Amino acid sequence: EKAGHKHFMAKEIAEQPGVLGDAIGHYLSNDGLDVNFPADGLDFTAYDRITMVACGTAYLACLTSKYWFEQLAGIPVDVDVASEFRYREPPVPARTLAVFVSQSGETADTLAALRYTEGKADKIAAVVNVPESSIARESDIVFPIHAGIEIGVASTKAFTCQLTVLALMALKAAVAKDRLDAEGLAQHLVSLQNLPGLMNIALGLSGDIKDVAAKLAEARDVLFLGRGAMYPLALEGALKLKEISYIHAEGYASGELKHGPIALVDKHVPVIVMAPHDRLFDKTVSNMQEVLARGGKVVLITDAQGAKIASDGVWQTIVLPEVSDLMAPILYALPAQLLAYHTAVAKGTDVDQPRNLAKSVTVE
Ligand code: F6R
């Protein structure tokens, strides 16, 4: 049942190209040039804002998609962890779309947050892996992520499928708001369909990542840095690492480094920098240089162009294929997952059943 893998997590990481291809197939029109949503659809012209609520990795998928909804569609997005949202009882203005993201669809805090928005939000949408779940049943419209059953406690394929569905929603919103034409949409969809191929290349780097992980396993603290949509991914990389390897890890927005966390940096602290060669690359590299100047051990995860410019003085460089800005967080999730996985295996922890954690958190 682990299909030749040592752990469910390894299997679930490895099957992402196929699973993602499937998930995309469920949402694309036959000619692949348009997105088909559930029957009653979502009319994005009816909403001025989106409020997104989730926990853990699902929350980080929401945080990533905030960049997409805001940049592509120009719709302001609030993102909250469910346990804060439900007790803060925030105002929900008119013309708000509420989106709840949950792999299990049973997370108690997320469900309670959903119930709080009933009668307040214009529409309640659920992005879930389990279509029969409570969160799906209590929503107005359900977007299944089609990831298949996820057994490893650390979420992997559900995260990339959540991102995929949220990216499709953001693209549809951009079209509805007249900020993207049919041709622009089609271009994004072509690069989305190329993503499984790029993911296969990323999985091929597993051996290199394992070598890095062997050294990471000796660390006490690890920092993850990213800018823009790579910032939530830095948080996800840190979450995955602490969950299964029990190494203390934190994710930061690269620009926040000098506002405190850089005090932690010395030659014992590996710093993982997630930086495709995009319009923010130079900014991230200058933050990385601040780390190098303090003797920090940098693992740079980038593409060929980025590696060419910025590998000097870096401890390890992991080179991913080039990818569109929109798809980058989905592709870069794979080395983050593999880094956590191989580090945990090197430490001999229980990868699929980490201590103190449950797959579905149905108590608050
Ligand atoms: C992390 C992880 C958790 C879940 C969180 C929400 O790897 O799996 O952080 O993402 O408990 O669970 P769902 O998505 O089922 O609501």
Side-chain angles (χ1 to χ4, degrees):
E1 58 189 350
K2 289 178 197 157
H5 293 278
K6 261 172 56 192
H7 302 96
F8 283 110
M9 185 182 179
K11 168 179 173 273
E12 288 162 3
I13 291 173
E15 70 193 12
Q16 285 176 105
V19 168
L20 207 93
D22 258 17
I24 296 167
H26 275 98
Y27 284 101
L28 288 204
S29 60
N30 286 338
D31 61 8
L33 302 176
D34 199 1
V35 181
N36 289 336
F37 272 163
D40 56 343
L42 267 186
D43 175 11
F44 281 99
T45 61
Y47 315 115
D48 297 335
R49 58 188 65 75
I50 301 175
T51 189
M52 306 185 85
V53 184
C55 300
T57 287
Y59 164 75
L60 297 173
C62 295
L63 211 53
T64 309
S65 74
K66 173 184 170 80
Y67 290 81
W68 297 336
F69 281 110
E70 293 189 349
Q71 290 173 351
L72 292 168
I75 305 176
V77 177
D78 288 321
V79 186
D80 257 301
V81 289
S83 55
E84 284 302 311
F85 182 90
R86 62 176 292 197
Y87 295 114
R88 194 173 79 247
E89 304 187 343
V92 180
R95 295 176 60 84
T96 295
L97 167 68
V99 180
F100 298 87
V101 180
S102 174
Q103 187 284 127
S104 63
E106 301 296 347
T107 300
D109 281 326
T110 309
L111 182 59
L114 182 154
R115 289 180 177 152
Y116 170 76
T117 61
E118 270 167 17
K120 300 186 184 79
D122 280 44
K123 191 100 155 178
I124 297 178
V127 176
V128 293
N129 199 25
V130 183
E132 311 77 37
S133 59
S134 308
I135 288 173
R137 281 199 314 269
E138 297 194 24
S139 297
D140 300 324
I141 181 164
V142 181
F143 293 83
I145 61 167
H146 299 289
I149 295 175
E150 189 179 64
I151 293 173
V153 164
S155 186
T156 52
K157 62 177 181 168
F159 178 65
T160 46
C161 287
Q162 285 161 352
L163 289 178
T164 301
V165 172
L166 292 168
L168 291 172
M169 289 170 75
L171 288 170
K172 275 298 242 198
V175 172
K177 296 280 189 188
D178 273 335
R179 295 178 42 125
L180 185 68
D181 60 15
E183 198 181 319
L185 174 65
Q187 272 173 15
H188 281 295
L189 297 180
V190 167
S191 48
L192 189 60
Q193 284 167 287
N194 289 333
L195 195 52
L198 301 183
M199 288 177 127
N200 271 319
I201 299 174
L203 292 172
L205 301 173
S206 190
D208 297 348
I209 295 174
K210 192 173 169 183
D211 294 341
V212 177
K215 296 180 191 157
L216 219 58
E218 295 158 18
R220 204 188 63 177
D221 309 285
V222 177
L223 296 181
F224 286 76
L225 301 181
R227 252 180 206 271
M230 304 307 285
Y231 160 50
L233 195 61
L235 299 175
E236 168 64 4
L239 177 61
K240 219 87 305 173
L241 187 67
K242 59 191 146 195
E243 266 184 305
I244 60 170
S245 76
Y246 315 144
I247 294 172
H248 171 243
E250 296 297 334
Y252 285 99
S254 307
E256 273 293 293
L257 192 65
K258 59 169 76 64
H259 299 285
I262 198 159
L264 293 172
V265 173
D266 65 15
K267 63 180 193 304
H268 303 295
V269 181
V271 180
I272 319 291
V273 180
M274 314 263 204
H277 186 260
D278 57 17
R279 73 189 168 91
L280 301 172
F281 184 73
D282 295 346
K283 299 277 174 206
T284 305
V285 167
S286 77
N287 301 130
M288 188 179 90
Q289 273 151 1
E290 292 158 12
V291 170
L292 292 172
R294 284 155 187 88
K297 288 199 287 191
V298 170
V299 178
L300 174 62
I301 306 182
T302 185
D303 48 31
Q305 186 66 13
K308 203 170 121 196
I309 302 171
S311 284
D312 271 6
V314 164
W315 178 42
Q316 302 280 343
T317 308
I318 295 167
V319 183
L320 293 178
E322 234 177 272
V323 63
S324 74
D325 286 359
L326 179 64
M327 311 299 159
I330 309 180
L331 182 66
Y332 279 61
L334 271 58
Q337 296 165 352
L338 287 167
L339 210 52
Y341 174 74
H342 287 304
T343 305
V345 171
K347 291 197 72 172
T349 55
D350 188 344
V351 172
D352 284 332
Q353 290 286 329
R355 66 187 184 199
N356 310 340
L357 295 177
K359 182 69 187 158
S360 182
V361 184
T362 51
V363 292
E364 50 171 282

mmCIF file of all heavy atoms in Angstrom, residues 55-58 101-105 107 153-155 162 239-240 243 361, ligand 1:
data_model
loop_
_atom_site.group_PDB
_atom_site.id
_atom_site.type_symbol
_atom_site.label_atom_id
_atom_site.label_comp_id
_atom_site.label_asym_id
_atom_site.label_seq_id
_atom_site.Cartn_x
_atom_site.Cartn_y
_atom_site.Cartn_z
ATOM 1 N N CYS A 55 -6.421 26.133 9.208
ATOM 2 C CA CYS A 55 -5.394 25.847 10.224
ATOM 3 C C CYS A 55 -4.174 25.211 9.558
ATOM 4 O O CYS A 55 -4.298 24.528 8.549
ATOM 5 C CB CYS A 55 -5.905 24.826 11.247
ATOM 6 S SG CYS A 55 -7.365 25.343 12.144
ATOM 7 N N GLY A 56 -3.025 25.397 10.170
ATOM 8 C CA GLY A 56 -1.810 24.666 9.791
ATOM 9 C C GLY A 56 -1.430 24.868 8.337
ATOM 10 O O GLY A 56 -1.394 25.995 7.811
ATOM 11 N N THR A 57 -1.147 23.758 7.690
ATOM 12 C CA THR A 57 -0.717 23.804 6.293
ATOM 13 C C THR A 57 -1.799 24.399 5.396
ATOM 14 O O THR A 57 -1.503 25.137 4.449
ATOM 15 C CB THR A 57 -0.315 22.380 5.854
ATOM 16 O OG1 THR A 57 0.940 22.080 6.473
ATOM 17 C CG2 THR A 57 -0.175 22.254 4.365
ATOM 18 N N ALA A 58 -3.067 24.110 5.683
ATOM 19 C CA ALA A 58 -4.167 24.662 4.877
ATOM 20 C C ALA A 58 -4.183 26.190 5.004
ATOM 21 O O ALA A 58 -4.461 26.908 4.042
ATOM 22 C CB ALA A 58 -5.502 24.056 5.324
ATOM 23 N N VAL A 101 -10.541 26.353 3.964
ATOM 24 C CA VAL A 101 -9.704 25.335 3.335
ATOM 25 C C VAL A 101 -9.341 24.285 4.386
ATOM 26 O O VAL A 101 -8.868 24.637 5.477
ATOM 27 C CB VAL A 101 -8.424 25.963 2.731
ATOM 28 C CG1 VAL A 101 -7.557 24.895 2.074
ATOM 29 C CG2 VAL A 101 -8.793 27.048 1.712
ATOM 30 N N SER A 102 -9.603 23.035 4.066
ATOM 31 C CA SER A 102 -9.326 21.955 5.020
ATOM 32 C C SER A 102 -9.185 20.637 4.276
ATOM 33 O O SER A 102 -10.062 20.265 3.495
ATOM 34 C CB SER A 102 -10.477 21.860 6.040
ATOM 35 O OG SER A 102 -10.295 20.741 6.878
ATOM 36 N N GLN A 103 -8.074 19.958 4.505
ATOM 37 C CA GLN A 103 -7.897 18.643 3.898
ATOM 38 C C GLN A 103 -9.006 17.714 4.377
ATOM 39 O O GLN A 103 -9.755 17.163 3.583
ATOM 40 C CB GLN A 103 -6.510 18.101 4.271
ATOM 41 C CG GLN A 103 -6.075 16.811 3.585
ATOM 42 C CD GLN A 103 -6.731 15.552 4.136
ATOM 43 O OE1 GLN A 103 -7.321 14.762 3.376
ATOM 44 N NE2 GLN A 103 -6.676 15.356 5.436
ATOM 45 N N SER A 104 -9.114 17.559 5.683
ATOM 46 C CA SER A 104 -10.070 16.596 6.261
ATOM 47 C C SER A 104 -11.508 17.084 6.146
ATOM 48 O O SER A 104 -12.437 16.285 6.065
ATOM 49 C CB SER A 104 -9.738 16.372 7.739
ATOM 50 O OG SER A 104 -9.899 17.594 8.461
ATOM 51 N N GLY A 105 -11.686 18.395 6.194
ATOM 52 C CA GLY A 105 -13.038 18.949 6.233
ATOM 53 C C GLY A 105 -13.694 18.792 7.591
ATOM 54 O O GLY A 105 -14.893 19.047 7.747
ATOM 55 N N THR A 107 -11.845 19.770 10.701
ATOM 56 C CA THR A 107 -11.109 20.500 11.734
ATOM 57 C C THR A 107 -12.068 21.389 12.541
ATOM 58 O O THR A 107 -12.787 22.221 11.977
ATOM 59 C CB THR A 107 -9.982 21.322 11.078
ATOM 60 O OG1 THR A 107 -9.122 20.396 10.407
ATOM 61 C CG2 THR A 107 -9.188 22.115 12.097
ATOM 62 N N VAL A 153 0.701 12.041 8.408
ATOM 63 C CA VAL A 153 0.150 13.148 9.207
ATOM 64 C C VAL A 153 0.599 14.493 8.629
ATOM 65 O O VAL A 153 -0.172 15.449 8.588
ATOM 66 C CB VAL A 153 0.544 12.985 10.699
ATOM 67 C CG1 VAL A 153 0.333 14.287 11.458
ATOM 68 C CG2 VAL A 153 -0.303 11.873 11.328
ATOM 69 N N ALA A 154 1.838 14.561 8.177
ATOM 70 C CA ALA A 154 2.321 15.801 7.568
ATOM 71 C C ALA A 154 1.715 15.928 6.173
ATOM 72 O O ALA A 154 1.883 15.065 5.321
ATOM 73 C CB ALA A 154 3.840 15.787 7.481
ATOM 74 N N SER A 155 1.004 17.008 5.966
ATOM 75 C CA SER A 155 0.283 17.192 4.710
ATOM 76 C C SER A 155 1.249 17.550 3.580
ATOM 77 O O SER A 155 2.081 18.443 3.728
ATOM 78 C CB SER A 155 -0.739 18.311 4.916
ATOM 79 O OG SER A 155 -1.549 18.421 3.778
ATOM 80 N N GLN A 162 -4.389 21.900 -2.869
ATOM 81 C CA GLN A 162 -5.095 23.101 -2.390
ATOM 82 C C GLN A 162 -4.611 24.315 -3.172
ATOM 83 O O GLN A 162 -5.408 25.138 -3.644
ATOM 84 C CB GLN A 162 -4.824 23.327 -0.887
ATOM 85 C CG GLN A 162 -5.585 22.370 0.021
ATOM 86 C CD GLN A 162 -4.992 22.288 1.432
ATOM 87 O OE1 GLN A 162 -3.915 22.822 1.721
ATOM 88 N NE2 GLN A 162 -5.689 21.595 2.318
ATOM 89 N N LEU A 239 7.308 24.582 9.111
ATOM 90 C CA LEU A 239 6.287 23.759 9.786
ATOM 91 C C LEU A 239 6.545 22.272 9.532
ATOM 92 O O LEU A 239 6.541 21.460 10.464
ATOM 93 C CB LEU A 239 4.889 24.158 9.286
ATOM 94 C CG LEU A 239 3.704 23.353 9.837
ATOM 95 C CD1 LEU A 239 3.605 23.476 11.344
ATOM 96 C CD2 LEU A 239 2.389 23.800 9.184
ATOM 97 N N LYS A 240 6.791 21.933 8.258
ATOM 98 C CA LYS A 240 7.027 20.531 7.903
ATOM 99 C C LYS A 240 8.243 19.999 8.655
ATOM 100 O O LYS A 240 8.220 18.909 9.204
ATOM 101 C CB LYS A 240 7.240 20.466 6.399
ATOM 102 C CG LYS A 240 6.663 19.328 5.674
ATOM 103 C CD LYS A 240 5.249 19.408 5.195
ATOM 104 C CE LYS A 240 4.222 19.723 6.261
ATOM 105 N NZ LYS A 240 2.899 19.951 5.711
ATOM 106 N N GLU A 243 7.512 19.575 12.457
ATOM 107 C CA GLU A 243 6.543 18.488 12.686
ATOM 108 C C GLU A 243 7.175 17.107 12.701
ATOM 109 O O GLU A 243 6.853 16.296 13.562
ATOM 110 C CB GLU A 243 5.543 18.456 11.518
ATOM 111 C CG GLU A 243 4.284 19.202 11.706
ATOM 112 C CD GLU A 243 3.366 18.995 10.509
ATOM 113 O OE1 GLU A 243 3.760 19.250 9.361
ATOM 114 O OE2 GLU A 243 2.244 18.559 10.755
ATOM 115 N N VAL A 361 -7.828 17.164 13.433
ATOM 116 C CA VAL A 361 -7.950 17.762 14.758
ATOM 117 C C VAL A 361 -9.408 18.173 14.992
ATOM 118 O O VAL A 361 -9.823 19.284 14.688
ATOM 119 C CB VAL A 361 -6.996 18.959 14.921
ATOM 120 C CG1 VAL A 361 -7.062 19.525 16.336
ATOM 121 C CG2 VAL A 361 -5.561 18.553 14.605
HETATM 122 C C1 F6R B 1 0.638 19.974 8.705
HETATM 123 C C2 F6R B 1 -0.722 19.499 8.899
HETATM 124 C C3 F6R B 1 -1.654 20.293 9.727
HETATM 125 C C4 F6R B 1 -3.004 20.443 9.015
HETATM 126 C C5 F6R B 1 -4.012 21.162 9.930
HETATM 127 C C6 F6R B 1 -5.330 21.422 9.209
HETATM 128 O O1 F6R B 1 1.404 19.110 7.932
HETATM 129 O O2 F6R B 1 -1.090 18.490 8.355
HETATM 130 O O3 F6R B 1 -1.117 21.552 10.022
HETATM 131 O O4 F6R B 1 -2.796 21.140 7.833
HETATM 132 O O5 F6R B 1 -4.243 20.420 11.075
HETATM 133 O O6 F6R B 1 -5.955 20.220 8.858
HETATM 134 P P1 F6R B 1 -7.113 20.196 7.815
HETATM 135 O O7 F6R B 1 -6.548 20.631 6.503
HETATM 136 O O8 F6R B 1 -7.610 18.779 7.770
HETATM 137 O O9 F6R B 1 -8.175 21.168 8.277
#
